[in-house]
C-alpha cells in the first residue's frame, strides 16, 4: 500500500522548501517508524486495523 502525489519533478523543490521551513506537521502524521524487516507484519496489522495510522515510515539507516 502506498501513494505518491506528484505531477512532476517541478513539484519537489516546493515540497522540500515547505518541509524545511517547518510548515508541515511531520511528527503528527507519522504514526509509526519501523525497520524494513518489520514491514510485513506491520502492513498486515495495518490492513486488519487501519484506525489511528496515517503514515508508516521505514527506517533504512540501520540496514
Amino acid at each position: 500500500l502506498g501513494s505518491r502525489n506528484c505531477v512532476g519533478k517541478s513539484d519537489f523543490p516546493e515540497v522540500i522548501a515547505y518541509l524545511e521551513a517547518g510548515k508541515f506537521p511531520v511528527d503528527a502524521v507519522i504514526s509509526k517508524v519501523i525497520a524494513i524487516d518489520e514491514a510485513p507484519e506491520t502492513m498486515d496489522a495495518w490492513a486488519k486495523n487501519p484506525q489511528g495510522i496515517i503514515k508508516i515510515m521505514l527506517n533504512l539507516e540501520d540496514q
Side-chain angles (χ1 to χ4, degrees):
L1 300 172
S3 66
R4 181 173 169 199
N5 225 358
C6 175
V7 176
K9 284 196 276 184
S10 63
D11 292 343
F12 284 109
E14 274 186 59
V15 171
I16 291 167
Y18 189 70
L19 290 168
E20 288 177 338
K23 295 180 179 180
F24 186 80
V26 174
D27 293 335
V29 298
I30 297 175
S31 304
K32 288 182 172 237
V33 179
I34 62 168
I36 197 162
D37 60 340
E38 298 173 283
E41 65 265 17
T42 300
M43 298 303 282
D44 286 342
W46 181 34
K48 291 175 186 168
N49 185 18
Q51 276 67 28
I53 301 293
I54 299 172
K55 298 233 180 249
I56 299 171
M57 186 169 85
L58 290 176
N59 179 354
L60 302 175
E61 290 182 4
D62 298 329
Q63 301 304 311

